[in-house]
């Protein structure tokens, strides 16, 4: 009996894995179709300065699968990186952001920056700087108003190719921000090798700033580094006024999180801007 039972259990585990694989392949296929058919959307989360004015937004991709429902961007990005569709995904998002930014400029919101996430895998793509420059020009945007948020990755920290591509992006005038700063071992290496305009302290560090004294020390250290390098320091995951005040006292310049606002649909942004602009 035990032999039959364990054999049966094993079979179940394998078929479970197969199922997961099938769902992943399903999702990859559907994601490719969704990108192609413009079925993804982009939401925008406000960023505020020390006095509380909105200074810009971060674009975050959204996808609701017809059968599986909401698929988190972390999952989306993972699927697209594995299927080879990540550059289509990121470039689609980038172009949507340019279209939106041009619209906002026309409404008088030229002073708001647009931050866009990009997968580190894309930084191996020679065609990326040309695509970005072209897109920014196509919609008549000022490259300084666009910021690419780059997550550090062990694969790219040491590559001449990546260094060259980041330099080309910098030369276009597009700003670079180091996302999830403090999480990986190579954050500091990046700062030495690439011209970054902002560092975003990872949410897992800022989240418990009020209770974790080690994290508080890390935030102070990162803020000092930012000041010395003339780089602005962004705190994400700011959920309460108490966190905001503590982070400000520790030297953070820009605040993003549910305390100010969740990510908003573009039409809701326009309402938000009216009440939060200078
Ligand atoms: P991220 O760039 O670090 O973005 C911040 C994440 O924190 C977002 O999650 C945002 O919704 C969430 N967040 C904002 N404020 C708060 C808060 O106060 N509390 C908490 N708990 N969370 C907050 P989201 O939208 O799920 O995105 C997750 C990650 O997926 C992003 O992290 C980014 O790395 C990636 N991502 C999102 N959109 C894109 C995209 O278009 N392209 C690429 N390559 N990656 C993207
Ligand atoms: Mg980001
Ligand atoms: Mg982040
Ligand atoms: Mg993150």
């Amino acid at each position: 009996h035990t032999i039959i039972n364990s054999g049966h259990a094993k079979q179940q585990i394998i078929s479970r894995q197969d199922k997961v694989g099938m769902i992943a392949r399903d999702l990859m296929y559907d994601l490719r179709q969704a990108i192609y058919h413009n079925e993804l959307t982009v939401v925008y989360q406000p960023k505020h300065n020390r006095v509380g004015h909105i200074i810009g937004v971060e674009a975050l991709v959204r996808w609701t699968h017809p059968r599986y429902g909401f698929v988190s961007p972390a999952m989306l990005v993972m699927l697209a990186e594995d299927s080879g569709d990540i550059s289509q995904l990121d470039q689609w998002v980038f172009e949507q952001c340019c279209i939106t930014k041009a619209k906002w400029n026309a409404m008088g919101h030229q002073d708001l920056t647009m931050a866009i996430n990009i997968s580190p895998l894309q930084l191996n793509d020679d065609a990326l700087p040309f695509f970005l420059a072209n897109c920014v020009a196509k919609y008549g945007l000022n490259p300084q108003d666009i910021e690419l948020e780059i997550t550090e990755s062990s694969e790219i920290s040491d590559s001449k190719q990546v260094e060259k591509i980041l330099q080309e992006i910098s030369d276009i005038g597009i700003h670079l921000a180091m996302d999830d700063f403090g999480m990986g071992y190579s954050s500091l290496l990046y700062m030495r090798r690439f011209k970054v305009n902002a560092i975003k302290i990872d949410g897992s560090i800022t989240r418990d700033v009020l209770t974790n004294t080690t994290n508080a020390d890390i935030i102070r250290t990162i803020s000092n580094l930012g000041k010395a390098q003339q780089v602005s320091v962004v705190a994400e995951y700011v959920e309460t006024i108490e966190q905001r005040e503590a982070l400000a006292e520790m030297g953070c310049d820009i605040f993003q999180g549910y305390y100010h606002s969740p990510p908003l649909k573009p039409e809701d942004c326009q309402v938000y801007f009216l009440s939060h602009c200078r």
Side-chain angles (χ1 to χ4, degrees):
H1 273 292
T2 39
I3 291 167
I4 291 168
N5 276 344
S6 64
H8 181 70
K10 201 169 175 191
Q11 212 173 23
Q12 286 241 318
I13 289 167
I14 291 166
S15 70
R16 239 178 102 93
Q17 279 175 343
D18 283 352
K19 248 189 220 161
V20 170
M22 274 161 55
I23 293 172
R25 274 191 300 279
D26 234 33
L27 279 171
M28 281 180 192
Y29 177 81
D30 294 344
L31 176 57
R32 180 171 296 173
Q33 297 300 313
I35 297 169
Y36 187 77
H37 295 296
N38 279 311
E39 285 160 12
L40 304 182
T41 57
V42 183
V43 290
Y44 301 90
Q45 187 174 35
K47 293 185 193 177
H48 288 253
N49 64 11
R50 293 179 72 92
V51 295
H53 293 139
I54 182 171
I55 55 106
V57 296
E58 174 180 11
L60 297 157
V61 71
R62 291 290 179 263
W63 185 37
T64 305
H65 187 278
R67 269 172 301 128
Y68 300 116
F70 177 80
V71 183
S72 80
M75 173 65 80
L76 264 189
V77 167
M78 213 163 68
L79 287 167
E81 283 180 347
D82 280 3
S83 67
D85 293 326
I86 190 65
S87 75
Q88 275 79 359
L89 173 83
D90 278 349
Q91 292 183 9
W92 183 86
V93 171
F94 190 87
E95 181 155 16
Q96 295 311 303
C97 290
C98 288
I99 294 169
T100 301
K101 175 66 180 137
K103 228 181 263 171
W104 290 347
N105 281 354
M107 297 171 64
H109 299 302
Q110 298 91 333
D111 52 341
L112 299 180
T113 59
M114 174 69 80
I116 305 161
N117 292 284
I118 197 150
S119 159
L121 287 188
Q122 280 237 70
L123 300 175
N124 289 308
D125 180 1
D126 269 324
L128 181 68
F130 179 76
F131 168 82
L132 299 176
N134 215 24
C135 204
V136 166
K138 180 174 168 192
Y139 296 100
L141 303 178
N142 181 351
Q144 271 94 281
D145 296 341
I146 307 292
E147 186 165 80
L148 282 190
E149 293 194 2
I150 299 159
T151 310
E152 62 178 326
S153 139
S154 51
E155 295 140 59
I156 70 163
S157 61
D158 209 24
S159 145
K160 280 266 174 297
Q161 167 76 351
V162 168
E163 206 167 322
K164 180 180 142 249
I165 288 171
L166 285 174
Q167 187 59 52
E168 283 172 21
I169 294 172
S170 238
D171 291 343
I172 296 166
I174 290 174
H175 285 184
L176 298 175
M178 284 293 326
D179 208 347
D180 304 339
F181 195 87
M183 286 315 283
Y185 63 94
S186 54
S187 310
L188 294 171
L189 237 172
Y190 266 70
M191 287 215 56
R192 247 183 25 207
R193 297 174 60 187
F194 314 128
K195 182 181 172 292
V196 299
N197 302 84
I199 47 190
K200 296 188 76 174
I201 305 175
D202 192 76
S204 65
I205 301 173
T206 54
R207 189 167 45 199
D208 52 12
V209 56
L210 297 173
T211 50
N212 185 319
T213 54
T214 307
N215 280 359
D217 286 339
I218 292 172
I219 294 163
R220 281 204 182 82
T221 307
I222 295 176
S223 298
N224 287 336
L225 178 68
K227 288 232 154 59
Q229 295 287 313
Q230 285 152 313
V231 161
S232 61
V233 177
V234 186
E236 55 178 14
Y237 280 44
V238 183
E239 294 186 347
T240 65
I241 177 98
E242 290 79 15
Q243 286 173 336
R244 196 197 128 106
E245 279 168 0
L247 290 161
E249 182 269 318
M250 291 169 190
C252 297
D253 308 299
I254 295 168
F255 308 87
Q256 177 183 348
Y258 299 158
Y259 168 66
H260 284 293
S261 172
L264 302 171
K265 293 186 181 137
E267 57 271 26
D268 295 332
C269 284
Q270 294 170 12
V271 177
Y272 191 89
F273 295 164
L274 291 178
S275 49
H276 294 86
C277 277
R278 247 168 315 195

Coordinates of all heavy atoms in Angstrom, one line a residue, residues 39-97:
E39 N -3.7 45.6 -24.8 CA -4.7 45.3 -23.7 C -4.0 45.5 -22.3 O -4.7 45.3 -21.3 CB -5.1 43.8 -23.8 CG -6.2 43.6 -24.9 CD -6.3 42.2 -25.4 OE1 -5.8 41.3 -24.7 OE2 -6.9 42.0 -26.4
L40 N -2.8 45.9 -22.3 CA -2.2 46.3 -21.0 C -2.6 47.8 -20.7 O -3.0 48.5 -21.6 CB -0.7 46.2 -21.0 CG -0.1 44.9 -21.4 CD1 1.5 45.0 -21.4 CD2 -0.6 43.8 -20.5
T41 N -2.5 48.2 -19.5 CA -2.7 49.6 -19.2 C -1.6 50.1 -18.3 O -0.7 49.3 -17.8 CB -4.0 49.8 -18.4 OG1 -4.0 49.0 -17.2 CG2 -5.2 49.4 -19.3
V42 N -1.5 51.4 -18.1 CA -0.5 52.0 -17.3 C -1.1 52.9 -16.3 O -2.1 53.6 -16.6 CB 0.5 52.8 -18.1 CG1 1.6 53.4 -17.3 CG2 1.1 52.0 -19.3
V43 N -0.7 52.7 -15.0 CA -1.2 53.6 -13.9 C 0.0 54.4 -13.5 O 1.2 54.1 -13.7 CB -1.8 52.9 -12.8 CG1 -3.2 52.3 -13.2 CG2 -0.9 51.8 -12.2
Y44 N -0.3 55.6 -12.8 CA 0.8 56.5 -12.5 C 0.7 56.9 -11.0 O -0.4 57.3 -10.5 CB 0.6 57.8 -13.3 CG 0.7 57.5 -14.8 CD1 -0.5 57.2 -15.5 CD2 1.9 57.4 -15.5 CE1 -0.5 56.9 -16.9 CE2 1.9 57.1 -16.9 CZ 0.8 56.8 -17.5 OH 0.8 56.5 -18.9
Q45 N 1.8 56.7 -10.3 CA 1.8 57.0 -8.8 C 2.5 58.3 -8.6 O 3.7 58.5 -8.9 CB 2.4 55.9 -8.0 CG 2.3 56.1 -6.5 CD 2.8 55.0 -5.7 OE1 3.7 54.3 -6.0 NE2 2.1 54.8 -4.6
P46 N 1.9 59.3 -7.9 CA 2.5 60.6 -7.7 C 3.7 60.5 -6.7 O 3.8 59.6 -5.9 CB 1.4 61.4 -7.0 CG 0.1 60.7 -7.4 CD 0.5 59.3 -7.6
K47 N 4.7 61.4 -7.0 CA 5.8 61.6 -6.1 C 5.8 63.0 -5.6 O 5.5 63.9 -6.4 CB 7.1 61.4 -6.9 CG 7.4 60.1 -7.4 CD 8.8 60.1 -8.0 CE 9.1 58.8 -8.9 NZ 10.4 58.9 -9.5
H48 N 6.0 63.2 -4.3 CA 5.9 64.5 -3.7 C 7.2 65.0 -3.1 O 8.0 64.2 -2.6 CB 4.9 64.5 -2.6 CG 3.4 64.4 -3.1 ND1 2.6 65.5 -3.1 CD2 2.8 63.4 -3.7 CE1 1.4 65.1 -3.7 NE2 1.5 63.9 -4.0
N49 N 7.4 66.3 -3.1 CA 8.7 66.8 -2.5 C 8.5 67.1 -1.0 O 7.5 66.8 -0.4 CB 9.2 68.1 -3.3 CG 8.2 69.2 -3.2 OD1 7.3 69.2 -2.4 ND2 8.4 70.3 -4.0
R50 N 9.5 67.7 -0.4 CA 9.5 67.9 1.1 C 8.4 68.8 1.5 O 7.8 68.7 2.6 CB 10.8 68.5 1.5 CG 12.0 67.5 1.4 CD 13.3 68.1 1.8 NE 13.4 68.2 3.3 CZ 13.9 67.3 4.1 NH1 14.4 66.2 3.6 NH2 13.9 67.5 5.4
V51 N 8.0 69.8 0.7 CA 6.9 70.7 1.1 C 5.5 70.2 0.7 O 4.5 70.8 1.0 CB 7.1 72.2 0.6 CG1 8.3 72.8 1.2 CG2 7.1 72.2 -0.9
G52 N 5.5 69.0 0.0 CA 4.3 68.4 -0.2 C 3.7 68.5 -1.6 O 2.7 68.0 -2.0
H53 N 4.4 69.3 -2.5 CA 4.0 69.4 -3.9 C 4.3 68.2 -4.7 O 5.3 67.6 -4.4 CB 4.6 70.6 -4.5 CG 4.2 72.0 -4.0 ND1 5.1 73.0 -3.7 CD2 3.0 72.4 -3.5 CE1 4.5 74.0 -3.2 NE2 3.2 73.7 -3.1
I54 N 3.4 67.9 -5.6 CA 3.7 66.8 -6.5 C 4.8 67.2 -7.5 O 4.8 68.4 -8.0 CB 2.5 66.3 -7.3 CG1 2.8 65.1 -8.2 CG2 1.8 67.5 -8.1 CD1 1.6 64.5 -8.8
I55 N 5.8 66.4 -7.7 CA 6.9 66.7 -8.7 C 6.9 65.8 -9.9 O 7.6 66.1 -10.8 CB 8.3 66.7 -7.9 CG1 8.5 65.3 -7.3 CG2 8.4 67.8 -6.9 CD1 9.5 64.5 -8.0
G56 N 6.2 64.7 -9.8 CA 6.2 63.8 -10.9 C 5.5 62.5 -10.6 O 4.8 62.4 -9.5
V57 N 5.5 61.6 -11.5 CA 4.8 60.3 -11.3 C 5.8 59.1 -11.7 O 6.7 59.3 -12.5 CB 3.5 60.2 -12.1 CG1 2.5 61.2 -11.7 CG2 3.8 60.3 -13.6
E58 N 5.5 57.9 -11.2 CA 6.1 56.7 -11.7 C 5.0 55.9 -12.4 O 3.9 55.7 -11.8 CB 6.7 55.9 -10.5 CG 7.2 54.5 -11.0 CD 7.8 53.6 -10.0 OE1 7.7 53.9 -8.8 OE2 8.4 52.6 -10.4
A59 N 5.4 55.4 -13.6 CA 4.4 54.6 -14.4 C 4.6 53.2 -14.0 O 5.7 52.7 -13.8 CB 4.8 54.8 -15.8
L60 N 3.4 52.5 -13.8 CA 3.4 51.1 -13.4 C 2.5 50.3 -14.3 O 1.3 50.8 -14.5 CB 3.0 50.9 -11.9 CG 4.0 51.6 -10.9 CD1 3.3 51.9 -9.6 CD2 5.2 50.7 -10.7
V61 N 2.9 49.2 -14.9 CA 2.1 48.5 -15.8 C 1.0 47.7 -15.1 O 1.2 47.2 -14.0 CB 3.0 47.6 -16.7 CG1 3.6 46.4 -16.0 CG2 2.2 47.1 -18.0
R62 N -0.1 47.5 -15.8 CA -1.2 46.7 -15.2 C -1.8 45.7 -16.3 O -1.9 46.1 -17.4 CB -2.3 47.6 -14.7 CG -2.0 48.4 -13.4 CD -1.8 47.5 -12.2 NE -1.4 48.2 -11.0 CZ -0.2 48.4 -10.6 NH1 0.8 47.8 -11.2 NH2 0.1 49.0 -9.4
W63 N -2.1 44.5 -15.8 CA -2.7 43.6 -16.8 C -3.8 42.8 -16.0 O -3.5 42.2 -15.0 CB -1.7 42.7 -17.4 CG -2.2 41.7 -18.4 CD1 -3.2 42.0 -19.3 CD2 -1.8 40.4 -18.7 NE1 -3.4 40.9 -20.1 CE2 -2.6 39.9 -19.7 CE3 -0.9 39.5 -18.1 CZ2 -2.5 38.6 -20.3 CZ3 -0.7 38.2 -18.6 CH2 -1.5 37.8 -19.7
T64 N -5.0 42.7 -16.5 CA -6.0 41.9 -16.0 C -6.3 40.8 -17.1 O -6.7 41.1 -18.2 CB -7.3 42.6 -15.7 OG1 -7.0 43.7 -14.9 CG2 -8.3 41.7 -15.1
H65 N -5.9 39.5 -16.7 CA -6.1 38.4 -17.6 C -7.6 38.0 -17.6 O -8.2 38.0 -16.6 CB -5.2 37.2 -17.1 CG -5.2 36.1 -18.0 ND1 -6.2 35.1 -18.1 CD2 -4.3 35.7 -19.0 CE1 -5.9 34.3 -19.0 NE2 -4.8 34.6 -19.6
P66 N -8.1 37.7 -18.8 CA -9.5 37.4 -18.9 C -10.0 36.3 -18.0 O -11.1 36.3 -17.5 CB -9.8 37.1 -20.4 CG -8.4 37.1 -21.0 CD -7.5 37.8 -20.1
R67 N -9.1 35.3 -17.7 CA -9.5 34.1 -16.9 C -8.8 34.2 -15.5 O -9.5 33.9 -14.5 CB -9.2 32.8 -17.5 CG -10.4 32.3 -18.4 CD -10.0 31.1 -19.2 NE -8.9 31.4 -20.1 CZ -7.7 30.7 -20.2 NH1 -7.6 29.6 -19.4 NH2 -6.8 31.1 -21.0
Y68 N -7.6 34.5 -15.5 CA -6.8 34.5 -14.2 C -7.0 35.8 -13.4 O -6.6 35.9 -12.2 CB -5.4 34.2 -14.4 CG -5.1 32.9 -15.1 CD1 -4.5 32.8 -16.4 CD2 -5.5 31.7 -14.5 CE1 -4.3 31.6 -17.0 CE2 -5.2 30.5 -15.1 CZ -4.6 30.4 -16.4 OH -4.4 29.2 -17.0
G69 N -7.5 36.8 -14.0 CA -7.7 38.1 -13.3 C -6.4 38.9 -13.2 O -5.5 38.8 -14.1
F70 N -6.2 39.7 -12.2 CA -5.1 40.6 -12.0 C -3.8 39.8 -11.9 O -3.6 38.9 -11.1 CB -5.2 41.5 -10.7 CG -4.1 42.4 -10.5 CD1 -3.9 43.6 -11.1 CD2 -3.1 42.0 -9.5 CE1 -2.9 44.4 -10.9 CE2 -2.0 42.8 -9.3 CZ -1.9 44.0 -10.0
V71 N -2.8 40.2 -12.8 CA -1.5 39.5 -12.7 C -0.5 40.6 -12.3 O -0.4 41.7 -12.9 CB -1.1 39.0 -14.1 CG1 0.3 38.3 -14.0 CG2 -2.1 38.1 -14.7
S72 N 0.2 40.4 -11.2 CA 1.1 41.4 -10.6 C 2.2 41.7 -11.6 O 2.6 40.9 -12.4 CB 1.7 40.9 -9.3 OG 2.8 40.0 -9.6
P73 N 2.6 43.0 -11.6 CA 3.7 43.4 -12.5 C 5.0 42.6 -12.3 O 5.7 42.3 -13.3 CB 3.9 44.9 -12.2 CG 2.9 45.3 -11.4 CD 2.1 44.1 -10.9
A74 N 5.2 42.2 -11.0 CA 6.4 41.4 -10.8 C 6.4 40.1 -11.6 O 7.3 39.7 -12.2 CB 6.6 41.2 -9.3
M75 N 5.2 39.5 -11.6 CA 5.0 38.2 -12.3 C 5.0 38.5 -13.8 O 5.7 37.8 -14.6 CB 3.6 37.7 -11.9 CG 3.1 36.5 -12.7 SD 4.2 35.0 -12.5 CE 3.5 34.4 -11.0
L76 N 4.4 39.6 -14.2 CA 4.4 40.0 -15.7 C 5.8 40.1 -16.2 O 6.1 39.6 -17.3 CB 3.8 41.4 -15.8 CG 2.3 41.5 -16.1 CD1 2.1 43.0 -16.4 CD2 2.0 40.7 -17.3
V77 N 6.6 40.8 -15.5 CA 8.0 41.1 -15.9 C 8.8 39.8 -15.9 O 9.5 39.6 -16.9 CB 8.6 42.1 -15.0 CG1 10.1 42.2 -15.2 CG2 8.0 43.5 -15.1
M78 N 8.5 38.9 -15.0 CA 9.2 37.6 -14.9 C 8.9 36.8 -16.2 O 9.7 36.2 -16.8 CB 8.9 36.9 -13.7 CG 9.9 36.0 -13.1 SD 9.5 35.6 -11.4 CE 8.1 34.6 -11.6
L79 N 7.6 36.7 -16.4 CA 7.1 36.0 -17.6 C 7.7 36.6 -18.9 O 8.2 35.8 -19.8 CB 5.6 36.1 -17.7 CG 4.7 35.3 -16.7 CD1 3.3 35.7 -16.7 CD2 4.9 33.8 -16.9
A80 N 7.6 37.9 -19.0 CA 8.1 38.5 -20.3 C 9.6 38.4 -20.4 O 10.1 38.2 -21.5 CB 7.7 40.0 -20.3
E81 N 10.3 38.4 -19.3 CA 11.8 38.2 -19.4 C 12.1 36.8 -19.9 O 13.0 36.5 -20.7 CB 12.5 38.4 -18.0 CG 12.6 39.9 -17.7 CD 13.2 40.2 -16.3 OE1 13.4 39.3 -15.5 OE2 13.6 41.4 -16.1
D82 N 11.3 35.8 -19.4 CA 11.5 34.4 -19.8 C 11.1 34.1 -21.2 O 11.7 33.3 -21.9 CB 10.8 33.4 -18.8 CG 11.6 33.2 -17.5 OD1 12.6 33.9 -17.4 OD2 11.1 32.4 -16.7
S83 N 10.1 34.8 -21.7 CA 9.5 34.5 -23.0 C 10.2 35.3 -24.1 O 10.0 35.1 -25.3 CB 8.0 34.7 -23.1 OG 7.8 36.1 -22.9
G84 N 11.1 36.3 -23.6 CA 11.7 37.1 -24.6 C 10.9 38.3 -25.1 O 11.3 39.0 -26.0
D85 N 9.8 38.6 -24.4 CA 8.9 39.7 -24.8 C 9.1 40.9 -23.9 O 8.4 41.9 -24.1 CB 7.4 39.3 -24.6 CG 7.0 38.2 -25.6 OD1 7.6 38.2 -26.7 OD2 6.2 37.3 -25.2
I86 N 10.2 40.9 -23.1 CA 10.3 42.1 -22.2 C 10.6 43.4 -22.9 O 10.1 44.4 -22.5 CB 11.4 41.8 -21.1 CG1 11.4 42.9 -20.0 CG2 12.8 41.6 -21.7 CD1 10.1 42.9 -19.2
S87 N 11.3 43.3 -24.0 CA 11.6 44.6 -24.7 C 10.3 45.2 -25.3 O 10.1 46.4 -25.3 CB 12.8 44.6 -25.6 OG 12.4 43.9 -26.8
Q88 N 9.5 44.3 -25.8 CA 8.2 44.7 -26.4 C 7.3 45.3 -25.3 O 6.7 46.4 -25.4 CB 7.4 43.6 -27.0 CG 7.7 43.2 -28.4 CD 9.0 42.4 -28.5 OE1 9.7 42.1 -27.5 NE2 9.4 42.1 -29.8
L89 N 7.3 44.7 -24.1 CA 6.5 45.2 -23.0 C 7.0 46.5 -22.5 O 6.2 47.5 -22.4 CB 6.6 44.2 -21.8 CG 6.0 44.6 -20.5 CD1 4.5 44.4 -20.5 CD2 6.6 44.0 -19.3
D90 N 8.3 46.6 -22.2 CA 8.9 47.9 -21.7 C 8.7 49.0 -22.8 O 8.5 50.2 -22.4 CB 10.3 47.7 -21.3 CG 10.4 47.1 -19.9 OD1 9.3 47.0 -19.2 OD2 11.5 46.7 -19.5
Q91 N 8.9 48.7 -24.0 CA 8.9 49.7 -25.0 C 7.4 50.2 -25.3 O 7.2 51.3 -25.5 CB 9.5 49.2 -26.3 CG 11.0 49.1 -26.1 CD 11.8 48.7 -27.4 OE1 11.3 48.7 -28.5 NE2 13.1 48.4 -27.2
W92 N 6.5 49.2 -25.1 CA 5.1 49.6 -25.2 C 4.7 50.6 -24.1 O 4.1 51.6 -24.3 CB 4.2 48.4 -25.1 CG 2.7 48.7 -25.3 CD1 2.0 48.9 -26.5 CD2 1.8 49.0 -24.2 NE1 0.7 49.3 -26.2 CE2 0.6 49.4 -24.8 CE3 1.9 49.1 -22.8 CZ2 -0.6 49.7 -24.1 CZ3 0.8 49.4 -22.1 CH2 -0.4 49.7 -22.7
V93 N 5.2 50.2 -22.9 CA 4.9 51.1 -21.7 C 5.6 52.5 -21.9 O 4.9 53.5 -21.7 CB 5.4 50.5 -20.4 CG1 5.4 51.5 -19.2 CG2 4.6 49.2 -20.0
F94 N 6.8 52.4 -22.4 CA 7.5 53.7 -22.6 C 6.8 54.6 -23.5 O 6.6 55.8 -23.3 CB 9.0 53.4 -23.1 CG 9.8 54.6 -23.1 CD1 10.6 55.0 -22.0 CD2 9.9 55.5 -24.2 CE1 11.4 56.1 -21.9 CE2 10.7 56.6 -24.2 CZ 11.4 56.9 -23.1
E95 N 6.3 54.0 -24.6 CA 5.6 54.9 -25.6 C 4.3 55.4 -25.0 O 4.0 56.6 -25.2 CB 5.3 54.1 -26.9 CG 4.6 55.0 -28.0 CD 4.9 54.6 -29.4 OE1 5.3 53.5 -29.7 OE2 4.6 55.5 -30.3
Q96 N 3.5 54.6 -24.3 CA 2.3 55.1 -23.7 C 2.6 56.2 -22.7 O 1.9 57.2 -22.7 CB 1.7 54.0 -22.8 CG 1.1 52.8 -23.6 CD 0.3 53.2 -24.8 OE1 -0.7 53.9 -24.6 NE2 0.7 52.8 -26.0
C97 N 3.7 56.1 -22.0 CA 4.1 57.2 -21.1 C 4.4 58.5 -21.8 O 4.1 59.6 -21.4 CB 5.3 56.8 -20.2 SG 4.9 55.5 -19.1

